[in-house]
Amino acid sequence: WNGSSSALGSFLGIPAEGPPTPLGQHPPPVATSKEEQKRLLQHRPDQPKNPKVLRIAIIGAPNAGKSTLSNQLLGRKVFPVSKKVHTTRCKARGVITHEDTQLIILDTPGLTNPLKVKRHNLEKAMLTDPWDSMKHADLVLVLVDVSDHWTRNALSREVLKCLSRFPHIPSVLVLNKVDILKKKYLLLDIVTDLTEGIVNGKKLEVKSAFKADSSSSAKPPLQITQAFPPGSRAPESPCRQETDQAREGSGLDNSSGVRDAKSSPITEEAQGPKHYGQKDLKDMKGWPNFREIFMLAARSGEEVDTLKQYLLMQAKPGPWEFHSDVLTNQSPQEVCDNIIREKVLEYLPLEVPYGVTQVTEMWEEGECGELLIVQNLLVPRKAHMRMLIGRGGKVISRIAQEAGQDLMNAFLCDVRLKLRVEVKS
């Protein structure tokens, strides 16, 4: 991967090497029966001749968009998504099989702390699951929501702790929700802060001269330099002139580590990844060991294919873990529960949805092959029951309709979903 299609490459004005080849796959549906899914998971993988595999942990603060990105990469919705924090309550795997390569996405709960786990009545596993996922990962994607002006200029303590504990695992910074960010020039500051000014062992330098026109919301011309990954070739002269012009216009300082087309890269491999202790982390806002940076909008799918191409190219020779017909290791019931809970979180205020218990009463195939599901939603109080049902049953009807549509897309069959609301006895 030579960086020419990455976010920093586009900032530099480096032309991409032609459009990414369409991945053109039709992801398999989730099995509708527990037995069928169990059989698929136990099925011996249909290994190609020279299989490649990459295990990817996606970490970040709660609500950064990890599940949305996972669903977009998979091409089918199997992970719950909500504006409320802690929608993902357990670790689950998503499987992308493309030609001879298998990507395994370890979708993890947002990195949180004991106080929040107690407040939201969350499972204690939410404190350990992200760490467990890191142990099995070949690559880490650190996702940051750039639309959140409170958090976008610093990685959380939990994320930094996670990265410092596994410095040997290559990590990539992914800036999400860039479409919402009106002032695109802010991306320069965000990148500098989140990388501590270093990418792939090479220093980035952004001077204040560029910020003079702070009223502009247009995408900046070419403001950041990139350290190219080891073994890659920097682009040749066509963009050299553009890069020089950008450097003059943006105040990039060549003397402080900006690499021109002919200089040799300084890589992490040459220096070895530095280990950071707790004292170091206190003074750090970002992580100086990122290999690459991507900027995308996971919700709309913008630039997600670029990231997917990169991930496929990072895969290493190794046996597949799953049969190519597997999309997720979750059971059909887990997929269903998660999607319904997502809607409940979306439509109920504040802490109310975290007290809802789901009980599946019926799960069977109808005469015409449709899936019939009846689920009871148990709430602690009558007031919560009224909220969930809504005036004239509007809220619960809307939840059932939206969840049913998502389940049809996951299972690729007709789904008839009926929801009942009861007060816990």
Side-chain angles (χ1 to χ4, degrees), residues 213-235:
D213 181 21
S214 59
S215 61
S216 169
S217 64
K219 187 174 176 181
L222 316 157
Q223 270 62 32
I224 300 182
T225 183
Q226 179 184 15
F228 290 87
S232 69
R233 191 169 52 82

Side-chain angles (χ1 to χ4, degrees), residues 6-9 172-175 191 195 199 204 224 226 290-295:
S6 70
L8 289 183
V172 169
L173 177 63
V174 179
L175 303 183
V191 165
T195 61
V199 180
L204 304 175
I224 300 182
Q226 179 184 15
F290 287 123
R291 299 283 182 90
E292 256 288 7
I293 300 171
F294 288 86
M295 299 180 191

Side-chain angles (χ1 to χ4, degrees), residues 219-276:
K219 187 174 176 181
L222 316 157
Q223 270 62 32
I224 300 182
T225 183
Q226 179 184 15
F228 290 87
S232 69
R233 191 169 52 82
E236 293 301 335
S237 55
C239 59
R240 176 81 183 270
Q241 193 178 347
E242 286 186 72
T243 310
D244 290 339
Q245 287 165 357
R247 200 172 283 136
E248 287 163 25
S250 65
L252 284 173
D253 183 1
N254 202 33
S255 65
S256 57
V258 169
R259 174 163 122 71
D260 66 23
K262 291 177 184 171
S263 63
S264 59
I266 300 171
T267 67
E268 290 168 33
E269 280 74 10
Q271 301 165 348
K274 183 182 169 184
H275 288 258
Y276 294 90

Side-chain angles (χ1 to χ4, degrees), residues 6 25 50-51 81 113 128 139 147 257 263 276 317 320 343 346 364 422-423:
S6 70
Q25 62 174 46
N50 299 302
V81 175
N113 57 47
T128 56
L139 182 77
S147 72
S263 63
Y276 294 90
W320 286 1
K343 307 302 176 190
E346 206 60 38
E364 59 185 55
E422 296 172 16
V423 178

Side-chain angles (χ1 to χ4, degrees), residues 140-269:
V140 186
L141 298 185
V142 177
L143 201 63
V144 174
D145 173 2
V146 296
S147 72
D148 187 339
H149 68 278
W150 296 107
T151 61
R152 66 190 175 203
N153 285 88
L155 297 175
S156 72
R157 292 296 99 196
E158 286 81 19
V159 168
L160 280 171
K161 235 187 277 182
C162 210
L163 289 168
S164 67
R165 192 165 154 184
F166 303 94
H168 56 285
I169 302 174
S171 55
V172 169
L173 177 63
V174 179
L175 303 183
N176 189 23
K177 308 185 189 178
V178 292
D179 54 329
I180 301 173
L181 191 67
K182 289 190 174 77
K183 297 174 179 175
K184 297 289 191 272
Y185 67 86
L186 290 172
L187 288 168
L188 303 175
D189 288 338
I190 294 168
V191 165
T192 307
D193 289 340
L194 297 181
T195 61
E196 294 283 310
I198 296 169
V199 180
N200 205 24
K202 190 73 181 168
K203 196 171 178 184
L204 304 175
E205 192 70 28
V206 181
K207 282 185 174 177
S208 57
F210 171 68
K211 295 169 195 168
D213 181 21
S214 59
S215 61
S216 169
S217 64
K219 187 174 176 181
L222 316 157
Q223 270 62 32
I224 300 182
T225 183
Q226 179 184 15
F228 290 87
S232 69
R233 191 169 52 82
E236 293 301 335
S237 55
C239 59
R240 176 81 183 270
Q241 193 178 347
E242 286 186 72
T243 310
D244 290 339
Q245 287 165 357
R247 200 172 283 136
E248 287 163 25
S250 65
L252 284 173
D253 183 1
N254 202 33
S255 65
S256 57
V258 169
R259 174 163 122 71
D260 66 23
K262 291 177 184 171
S263 63
S264 59
I266 300 171
T267 67
E268 290 168 33
E269 280 74 10

